[in-house]
Every structure is written in C-alpha cells, then in structure tokens.
Amino acid sequence: MALNASFVSPTADAKVAHRIAHLDANGILSTVLNRLNGWNIALTIFLMLVAYDQFKYIWNKGSIAGPTWKAPFIGPFLESVNPKFSRYYEKWTSAPLSCVSVFHKFVVLGSSRDIARKILNSPSYLQPCVVDAAFKLLRPENWVFLDGKAHVDYRKGLNGLFTRHALEQYLPGQEEVYNTYFQRFVKLSQEQNKGEPMPFMHEFRELMCAVSCRTFVGHYCSEEAIKKIADDFYLITAAMELVNFPIILPFTKSWYGKKAADMVLEEFSRCAAKSKVRMAAGGEKECILDFWVSSMIESEAYRKKVASGVEVDPSEKPANFIRDFSDFEIAMTLLTFLFASQDATSSATTWLFQIMADRPEFLDQVREENIAARNGDIYAPLSLDAIEKLPWTRAVVKEVLRYRPPVIMVPYKAKKDFPISESYTVPKGSMVIPVTWLALHDGEAYPNPDSFVPERWLTGDADKQTKNWLVFGTGPHYCLGQTFAQANLMLMIGKASMMLDWKHKVTDLSEEIKVFATIFPMDDCLLTFTDRTT
C-alpha cells in the first residue's frame, strides 16, 4: 500500500483538491505585478531598447565593413570627442564602404574615389546635412539646406559674386589685410616671444577670418568686430564637429557655438544694411556684399521699369537678375561663406607656411617668380590673371591642397533609400559621407602620393586627374569659391615669400595630423618670423 500510495493522484487527496478548487487567477496576477516594481520595469524597457538599437544597427550595416556590435545608444561617441586621424584612416582603408552608428545616426562612409564621386553626384537621393547642430547654428531656412530647383536657383543668384571681374575687385582688400597681419607676425615673434618659436595655427585662423570678412563684408565690419568673430568662430567650428552631443544644453560646445553664430549673424545683418545705403547712394563696389546688393538694386530697377509698361530692351536685363534679400537672409548666406572658407583656408595656410619653411628650395622658387612678376617692387599689386600664371606658386598651392586636403569628409543625408553599390543600399535617413583623402592620395593618379611633390603640377599630368581632384567637391554642391580660394592662397604665400623670412621648429608632432573640422599639425605649427623689407 505504501508503495502504491506514492502514485495516488493529487486530486484524490481531499486537502489538495480543496486548495486547487480555491485557486484565484486574479490573485496570481496580483502576486506577479507586486513583484514587478519600478526598477524591474525600467530594466526591462532598457534591455528592450538596447536590443532594438543593436538589432537596428546590425540590420542597417548589412554586408559592409564596420564594428560587429555598437556601444548601446552612444556608439563610438567617446572616441569621437578627441578624434584621431589614424582612426579615421584605418576606417577609410578598411573597405570602400564602412559604417558606424552614433546616438541616433547611422553613418556610411564612402572612401574610394568612385563611391565618393557617386555620393557627390546624387542630389536626387542625398542632400547636404552637415551635422544636427548646423540647422540650429546656420538656421533651418539657410540656403545650404535647400534642395532641388530651390537650391539651383539660389546658387544662380550667387554665381555673379564669384566671377573673375568680381574676384579682381576683392584683391586690394586682401592685400591690405596681409600687409597688416604680416607685420603683426613679426612683432609677435620678435617683441612678444623674443625670437623663440611659438604656435601659429591660431594666428593663421585669425588671419584667414580677417581676409574672409574683408572679402565678404569689406569695411562695414570694424577691426574690433573681426577680432571678435575670429576669436569666437573657433566655438562655431567646435559645435559643428562631425560627432557631437545631439541636443544643445547650456555650457556645451553646441551652446557656445550657437551664441557665437548668433553674434556673427547680428554683425553681418548690420553690414548688409550699411551696404544697401551705400550702394543706393552710388558707392563703389569693394566686397561680395556690395556686388550682391548692387545686383539687387539693378534687378529691382529693371522689374519696376517692366511693370511700368515701358518697352524695355531685353539687353537691359541685368546679367545677375535676382530677387530682393532681407538683411538677415544675406547674413545667413555670408555666414555659410565664412564657415566654408574659414577652417579650410586656415588649414591650407598653416600647412603652407610649415612646408615652405621645411623645404626652402620651393620657397625660393616662389619668391623669385613673385618678385619678377612685380618687376622688383614687392608692394606692386597683381591682377588675377597674373597671379594664376605664377607656375611655382600655383604648384605649391595645388600640392598642399592635395597633400593635406582641408576638407576630408562632407556629410550628406539620404532622402530615400540610396543604392550606393550593387550589393548595398543606404537606408533612408542615414548620414552618408564621401571621403576625399584616398582619391587625393591615389598612387596611380599621383605617383609617390604621400610625399610633397609640387613638380607634378609643372611637368607631370596631375592636372589631368580631374576625377581624383575632389578638394572642392564635384556635382551640384561643388564649392562656389574654388577659384577665389586658390587665388587667395597664391596671393598670400607669394606676398609672404617677399615680405617675410620664417623658420619652423620641427617636433615629433609636426607631421602628425590633428582633426578639428579640417586638419592641422598636431603641434599647432611652431614658427618664428622676421622682416625681409627692412
């Protein structure tokens, strides 16, 4: 009996049967819910979000190169706080297509020349996006964020500001700035630093900010205001770094950058108002702002004449026929010009001075041809045509732009799924970044690509490598100011070669690359200047 009793059904036991009969489903649910306190619920939701974030990254990544897993939510954000060129280079060379995911952004990098060109030439799929903070700093209604026909029409209105005739008018103002700042460099070196080398990267940033402001807004902007813009623009650049915290919080980079951008917009708005008064009174055009306002005045006069019913010969229509722009619209556009020129030309300037000091044989060639072009008068102005016909000056500038390209990555956003290759489609909403470095360091297009060889622009076929020359982009968003930028750098290094001597203190970090929007020497370029004209 005892043995069989162990196999008796529980329902045959009156006590067990009584308990089962009184089981309450609501009581069970209540017990479970009581055990699910707030922390358990929060942990469950967090783990579900982590799993979703991870799954979404793996799904978006597909077959392209990239980390197998990502840090929950933030991805490689902490690594990006202090970006290292070596890390970027490792990713570029890992595969033609690679990816990362930072916060809510899935980022695809196109490193090969052909993929970079495809990105730059696909406006139906992609639009410039810069970074999240850009919309807040430059304002969402800024022309750089326009797309399709609206963008094309806006650009047409700006083309007249960069004609050769217009660029010629900007040269005197640029020379004026260089004369002032070259004297400043000597004083900083000899009086303030007693002839000892000092970091000049920040001085070059101020120089190029002053040149840009003089070109864009002329004398409408005071020297004090230019100094303030130059000092604070560093904050705007920091806020525009490729990877940044996505929300503007007080005392963050984005917050300081927004305050600086607001200050520049306010200053440029005042400049626009002053130009409108001066141009209406028949003042002489000296800067981009003057040319723009004059085109508005001429266009409005033509519209009024047509509207009056008077027969108007079509030849009277202004070549640059545009609508009226408000002071703030003008300010927003000029801020984008400054953003496009400031960091890029500062980078090129820093490398130019460092490389010319380290390779005096090239500097001697530049100096000789600039003095000869001016018939021995180092203060004689040169026309745009004359500047562009200086072979050695052109060669060293072109080679610096290739060897140390100021713009290494250009962010775009996928408006819809983008079939970037036969095997991979970029998901809608992703950031897509064409990389210029590998195209400009392609050994087939530029033999010995990791060496500074300006002769390739004199006797080689470097000028024929148009598909690799991505310094100023390509496609519908190519840089409007590419002729201006190259002529400006040629004017600068030509004048410096005649007016200054300088020496570079080489350190272990001189050839290491620091990434700050663009690229600079890691040691900030230690130089000392002396005057050649005394």
Side-chain angles (χ1 to χ4, degrees), residues 37-59:
N37 58 35
W39 284 108
N40 288 335
I41 294 172
L43 178 60
T44 301
I45 293 174
F46 174 77
L47 292 175
M48 290 174 65
L49 290 174
V50 169
Y52 172 76
D53 183 55
Q54 202 69 243
F55 171 79
K56 186 177 181 183
Y57 165 70
I58 294 171
W59 178 267

Side-chain angles (χ1 to χ4, degrees), residues 197-215:
M198 59 177 284
F200 260 87
M201 186 268 274
H202 293 283
E203 296 299 326
F204 292 143
R205 285 182 63 87
E206 182 177 333
L207 165 65
M208 299 319 293
C209 184
V211 170
S212 295
C213 287
R214 180 68 179 84
T215 303

Side-chain angles (χ1 to χ4, degrees), residues 60 233 254 507 526:
N60 287 340
F233 206 87
S254 299
T507 72
L526 301 172

Side-chain angles (χ1 to χ4, degrees), residues 174-398:
Q174 293 164 14
E175 292 216 39
E176 177 185 316
V177 173
Y178 288 131
N179 290 338
T180 299
Y181 272 82
F182 289 167
Q183 292 176 8
R184 169 182 164 82
F185 291 171
V186 173
K187 288 183 179 179
L188 282 173
S189 293
Q190 302 306 316
E191 296 179 14
Q192 180 174 311
N193 223 49
K194 308 302 181 185
E196 293 297 318
M198 59 177 284
F200 260 87
M201 186 268 274
H202 293 283
E203 296 299 326
F204 292 143
R205 285 182 63 87
E206 182 177 333
L207 165 65
M208 299 319 293
C209 184
V211 170
S212 295
C213 287
R214 180 68 179 84
T215 303
F216 301 156
V217 298
H219 289 104
Y220 300 119
C221 194
S222 68
E223 290 184 9
E224 292 76 16
I226 289 175
K227 173 66 175 172
K228 175 67 173 170
I229 292 172
D231 289 344
D232 287 6
F233 206 87
Y234 202 86
L235 302 173
I236 299 176
T237 302
M240 296 277 207
E241 286 176 332
L242 186 60
V243 177
N244 233 324
F245 198 74
I247 303 172
I248 295 182
L249 298 175
F251 310 111
T252 61
K253 288 182 181 180
S254 299
W255 185 78
Y256 285 113
K258 177 69 164 56
K259 290 174 66 71
D262 290 347
M263 178 273 293
V264 176
L265 287 170
E266 184 178 344
E267 180 63 33
F268 282 175
S269 294
R270 287 196 290 265
C271 292
K274 293 175 186 176
S275 178
K276 287 179 178 179
V277 172
R278 184 167 169 271
M279 290 300 100
E284 185 178 349
K285 293 176 285 189
E286 296 180 348
C287 60
I288 280 178
L289 180 53
D290 287 342
F291 274 81
W292 195 357
V293 169
S294 293
S295 293
M296 281 190 273
I297 292 173
E298 293 167 6
S299 298
E300 180 61 18
Y302 177 80
R303 275 192 293 269
K304 286 182 177 179
K305 193 170 183 180
V306 171
S308 69
V310 177
E311 186 175 345
V312 183
D313 192 290
S315 63
E316 294 185 34
K317 185 176 181 179
N320 193 30
F321 186 68
I322 57 176
R323 66 173 175 85
D324 279 340
F325 292 83
S326 70
D327 295 346
F328 193 73
E329 283 181 302
I330 293 171
M332 285 192 295
T333 302
L334 294 178
L335 177 56
T336 64
F337 287 175
L338 186 59
F339 179 65
S341 67
Q342 165 66 11
D343 293 302
T345 53
S346 298
S347 170
T349 297
T350 305
W351 289 109
L352 259 175
F353 274 101
Q354 175 169 306
I355 291 169
M356 290 296 95
D358 294 343
R359 298 162 176 82
E361 67 276 16
F362 298 142
L363 180 59
D364 289 342
Q365 295 279 7
V366 170
R367 180 178 290 127
E368 288 175 11
E369 73 176 13
N370 272 270
I371 292 174
R374 294 169 172 81
N375 296 318
D377 180 1
I378 67 172
Y379 294 106
L382 288 184
S383 67
L384 182 62
D385 284 340
I387 292 172
E388 292 179 334
K389 290 176 181 176
L390 299 171
W392 268 102
T393 308
R394 177 181 180 274
V396 298
V397 167
K398 294 278 283 190

Side-chain angles (χ1 to χ4, degrees), residues 427-441:
K428 176 183 177 181
S430 303
M431 184 180 286
V432 189
I433 301 178
V435 176
T436 65
W437 182 275
L438 296 188
L440 292 163
H441 289 77

Side-chain angles (χ1 to χ4, degrees), residues 16-34:
V16 173
H18 177 77
R19 290 171 183 168
I20 292 175
H22 288 81
L23 277 175
D24 182 359
N26 291 330
I28 294 173
L29 181 61
S30 176
T31 301
V32 172
L33 290 177
N34 285 336

